[in-house]
Amino acid sequence: MRQFVVSLLVLGLCGPVGWAQSRRASADSAAVIRKPTKLSRQEKRELARRAAASNAPRPAAPTLSAKDKEISEALFVDGVKYVTLEDYPKALDRLLKAYALSPSNAAVNYKIAEANLLSGNLRDAANYAQAAVQLDPKNAYYYLLLAQAQASQKQYDAATATYASLVRDVPGSGNYLFQLADLYLAQNKLPEALATLEKAQQQFGTLDEISFKRQQIYLRQNNLPLALKEGESLIANNPTETRYVLAQAEMYASNNRLPDAIRVAEQALRIDPDNPQARLILAEVYRQQNQPEASQKQLKLAFENPALDIDQQVRILVGYLKQLPNDKLNPLALDLAAATVRSHPKEAKAYSVAGDVQTLTGKKREARNTYLKALRLDNSKYQLWQQVVLLDAELNQADSLLVHSDRALELFPNQAQLWFFNGVGHSLKQQPKQAVSALEHGRKLAAGNAELQAQFDAQLGDAYHELKDNAKSDAAYESALATEPNNYGALNNYSYYLSLRGEKLEKAKEMSGRTVKQFPDNDTYLDTYAWILYKLKDYAGARTSLEHALKTTKDAAVIEHYGDVLWQLGQHPQAVAEWQRARKAGPGASPLLDRKIKEQKLYE
């Protein structure tokens, strides 16, 4: 019988936009430097040449005449304009000419540094920013630009030193202590970060930001008591702020102080009764306490809340996916998947992960339909189309398989696997010509993937058989088995078709025998093996094999074959009885069955 097979931190920057600059930067008016624009090689070479020329030793610039001063100012303003327009080659052309006239002007050095930073020339950016700082050591913007150039080159020690100089030397720059603390944290310099935060507290008093950063440092130092103390301080200062309460509960939970975790999580729920994060914390704590019913209740309440972030729900469900199928977890996973869809009905990823859960728990039809809902929201995910057509094939739904594979191929015409399933769909619809066309095209796309090509070959063997092109059918099967000798679907179908033709029966027997040895209770393989024995006139062996198959199947073809064997063994009444039973079993029997029954005689 035939078988179907299938960052560091970003430093804020702003600067003078005119010739005459302010001596002191506003502490909280920093803007972010724009993303660098990639220059051509020619532009980079020209900028390097100009930079080298501008950095060459030169005699001290004489006092500018009124005319030269006017020219220099005009060049500077023009250069600033081109920086704003993001035309950095022209900006640097004007600014370097202004620099040639006024190399000791801090604003010119600053703008040259900014243009270099924005164009990706970090080394020159740092050099000119350093010069700007030296020329005007009281301008905060110059330090900020220098620190960004240094951090962009991963010169974190230098960037830290620049920030330290800024807060030390520039009056009114105390707010930059927080960025300095972040830099220390990024380098895991925890004592220095704590000392910097202490300075910030001395200057600004007790602030939530200081307590929070200090708490993170204590956690890195594994100093739980101090981290919890900071947390209690944050909660006391912000009694209605749930994020601090939740952070405290999480700390208790992660450090196995479960009663405290429950107490604080319930405190968060008194502030915000529907808070899903508090529910998740309780669910985890109850799980650790081996209270599965309480844990699951909290988990379901959290998942029903649309405020729970879809990505967090997906991450939790992915954790369950790794444990499925599991009879104990299947119901919970399905409930959580359904809740995810209810709480986020317009999120494709909600349906996608729900489909995954349904697939792994054996609900294939529901999974296919759920994936289709995901695709209605976002049809750009190839993996979803792949799952849909795979399930169509497993469900043996040829019409759906063709519709869905055709739609998928409109979006992904170069995906070999979609052509494979399209070919399978045509085979199921008994359209062998279309099947061969799709399979041959897909096989070409699978070049370089021997295993996938073997799958195509196995299907081509079936399709060419239906076209009665035995030579191409045999060649396809031989190719498939050359790559995958244990492709049992190909072994079964190839051997069965050989038996139908009465050709290479010993070879067919050997191939079919391998499948039966591997799957001794598979009724399809047993029927194939029996039919080969029948063709070899080993009727007793065929009978044994078929009687084994009939323990697990009511397939009409198997029953009819059993009747044929009984006839050959001389048990004619019993044979006719089996033929009659085959007719009652439904479709699948041969066109000769009615004639056998009517005339009570074997026809082959």
Side-chain angles (χ1 to χ4, degrees):
M1 178 184 294
R2 174 190 171 188
Q3 183 186 50
F4 172 68
V5 187
V6 208
S7 48
L8 187 61
L9 67 105
V10 177
L11 306 179
L13 289 175
C14 183
V17 294
W19 180 259
Q21 69 271 31
S22 168
R23 296 287 294 175
R24 180 178 298 176
S26 171
D28 53 5
S29 62
V32 177
I33 285 289
R34 296 182 295 277
K35 185 178 180 180
T37 300
K38 190 173 182 179
L39 301 180
S40 67
R41 291 182 180 179
Q42 183 177 356
E43 288 172 331
K44 287 182 178 179
R45 286 197 297 268
E46 177 61 17
L47 292 181
R49 183 190 66 76
R50 293 177 186 172
S54 66
N55 286 326
R58 64 178 71 237
T63 303
L64 291 180
S65 65
K67 183 177 181 180
D68 284 345
K69 183 177 181 181
E70 182 180 350
I71 293 172
S72 182
E73 289 179 358
L75 288 167
F76 177 82
V77 171
D78 211 24
V80 170
K81 177 188 73 175
Y82 283 116
V83 170
T84 304
L85 294 173
E86 301 183 23
D87 190 342
Y88 305 121
K90 286 184 180 179
L92 284 165
D93 177 73
R94 274 59 168 185
L95 292 170
L96 288 170
K97 288 177 180 177
Y99 178 88
L101 293 169
S102 301
S104 59
N105 186 285
V108 173
N109 281 274
Y110 170 84
K111 274 297 172 182
I112 293 174
E114 183 183 3
N116 275 300
L117 180 65
L118 289 168
S119 61
N121 190 356
L122 301 179
R123 182 180 299 177
D124 284 344
N127 290 336
Y128 281 103
Q130 184 69 62
V133 168
Q134 292 171 350
L135 291 165
D136 185 358
K138 299 300 181 183
N139 191 309
Y141 296 120
Y142 299 168
Y143 289 89
L144 294 173
L145 181 62
L146 175 58
Q148 182 167 0
Q150 292 165 333
S152 297
Q153 298 177 82
K154 304 188 186 305
Q155 297 173 357
Y156 301 127
D157 286 338
T160 303
T162 298
Y163 257 101
S165 297
L166 167 61
V167 297
R168 183 186 65 242
D169 299 336
V170 180
S173 297
N175 62 314
Y176 294 117
L177 285 165
F178 296 100
Q179 286 93 326
L180 178 57
D182 286 340
L183 271 171
Y184 281 131
L185 275 171
Q187 299 171 80
N188 206 37
K189 295 182 177 180
L190 304 184
E192 292 88 341
L194 281 172
T196 303
L197 290 171
E198 181 63 29
K199 292 179 182 178
Q201 182 164 336
Q202 291 172 4
Q203 185 166 344
F204 298 106
T206 300
L207 298 175
D208 291 347
E209 183 178 358
I210 294 174
S211 292
F212 183 75
K213 288 182 183 293
R214 209 154 40 195
Q215 184 184 57
Q216 302 311 303
I217 294 171
Y218 292 142
L219 286 174
R220 287 202 197 181
Q221 292 177 328
N222 294 317
N223 193 334
L224 182 62
L226 286 180
L228 290 170
K229 182 180 178 181
E230 291 292 343
E232 294 296 343
S233 174
L234 284 167
I235 294 172
N237 294 330
N238 303 272
T240 61
E241 187 66 67
T242 56
R243 63 191 177 108
Y244 296 132
V245 182
L246 292 171
Q248 193 80 343
E250 287 178 352
M251 274 194 289
Y252 280 127
S254 60
N255 287 278
N256 205 34
R257 292 179 56 171
L258 304 185
D260 287 322
I262 293 174
R263 171 180 59 81
V264 178
E266 289 176 342
Q267 179 182 345
L269 287 174
R270 286 194 293 272
I271 300 170
D272 179 6
D274 295 322
N275 190 285
Q277 298 301 329
R279 301 276 181 202
L280 290 178
I281 292 171
L282 287 172
E284 175 58 21
V285 172
Y286 289 138
R287 186 193 67 79
Q288 292 185 46
Q289 291 182 330
N290 198 27
Q291 299 183 51
E293 291 185 3
S295 176
Q296 291 180 17
K297 177 182 177 181
Q298 295 297 328
L299 199 55
K300 290 176 183 178
L301 286 171
F303 267 64
E304 291 287 356
N305 192 335
L308 182 60
D309 182 69
I310 178 63
D311 291 327
Q312 189 169 9
Q313 287 179 289
V314 169
R315 284 195 297 272
I316 293 171
L317 282 172
V318 167
Y320 281 99
L321 288 174
K322 297 175 182 177
Q323 305 174 64
L324 300 179
N326 182 312
D327 290 340
K328 293 182 178 179
L329 291 179
N330 288 352
L332 175 62
L334 287 166
D335 286 346
L336 295 180
T340 301
V341 168
R342 286 194 296 270
S343 58
H344 298 282
K346 296 184 179 180
E347 287 279 0
K349 63 182 72 174
Y351 295 96
S352 176
V353 72
D356 291 343
V357 172
Q358 290 167 335
T359 298
L360 289 173
T361 54
K363 299 186 177 297
K364 295 182 180 181
R365 189 181 301 273
E366 294 91 333
R368 191 271 311 275
N369 295 336
T370 301
Y371 286 134
L372 287 172
K373 291 177 182 178
L375 287 169
R376 280 197 283 272
L377 294 168
D378 181 3
N379 68 358
S380 66
K381 300 294 188 293
Y382 166 69
Q383 292 80 1
L384 291 180
W385 287 108
Q386 188 178 35
Q387 285 294 97
V388 166
V389 296
L390 174 60
L391 289 169
D392 281 334
E394 291 184 358
L395 293 167
N396 209 33
Q397 295 188 351
D399 290 333
S400 295
L401 179 54
L402 284 175
V403 169
H404 295 145
S405 60
D406 282 339
R407 286 172 54 193
L409 283 168
E410 291 176 3
L411 298 169
F412 306 99
N414 295 322
Q415 287 291 343
Q417 289 187 343
L418 293 178
W419 287 103
F420 175 84
F421 284 109
N422 188 257
V424 169
H426 284 297
S427 291
L428 289 172
K429 291 287 289 182
Q430 296 182 349
Q431 298 168 346
K433 287 185 179 180
Q434 295 92 323
V436 165
S437 177
L439 293 168
E440 290 286 12
H441 182 74
R443 191 184 189 284
K444 292 176 183 176
L445 293 175
N449 187 335
E451 291 183 1
L452 182 54
Q453 284 193 322
Q455 295 298 315
F456 275 101
D457 287 330
Q459 289 297 320
L460 282 166
D462 296 348
Y464 278 123
H465 169 80
E466 295 300 324
L467 290 174
K468 303 189 185 307
D469 192 335
N470 296 334
K472 287 186 177 180
S473 177
D474 290 358
Y477 284 130
E478 293 289 353
S479 178
L481 294 171
T483 302
E484 294 185 351
N486 293 324
N487 184 327
Y488 294 106
L491 286 169
N492 177 77
N493 291 0
Y494 187 19
S495 57
Y496 183 64
Y497 294 147
L498 287 175
S499 72
L500 291 180
R501 286 151 42 193
E503 298 177 5
K504 305 177 184 176
L505 292 177
E506 290 297 334
K507 178 181 179 68
K509 179 181 177 182
E510 183 275 330
M511 291 191 296
S512 181
R514 285 163 56 193
T515 63
V516 169
K517 182 177 180 181
Q518 185 67 25
F519 304 98
D521 298 319
N522 184 293
D523 56 285
T524 297
Y525 295 159
L526 287 166
D527 179 65
T528 296
Y529 188 62
W531 197 243
I532 295 168
L533 295 178
Y534 179 91
K535 288 287 188 174
L536 289 168
K537 302 188 185 305
D538 181 359
Y539 303 123
R543 177 177 184 171
T544 300
S545 184
L546 286 169
E547 287 177 346
H548 191 173
L550 287 168
K551 292 178 182 178
T552 58
T553 186
K554 295 181 180 180
D555 185 274
V558 179
I559 298 171
E560 181 185 3
H561 287 165
Y562 185 51
D564 294 352
V565 169
L566 292 177
W567 184 276
Q568 294 288 9
L569 291 171
Q571 300 179 24
H572 296 173
Q574 295 92 326
V576 174
E578 292 300 321
W579 291 336
Q580 292 171 336
R581 191 161 72 94
R583 183 166 60 183
K584 293 178 182 178
S590 76
L592 296 172
L593 179 61
D594 287 339
R595 188 178 177 188
K596 292 177 186 178
I597 296 172
K598 181 178 180 180
E599 299 182 17
Q600 297 193 5
K601 184 177 179 181
L602 176 64
Y603 288 97
E604 296 182 321

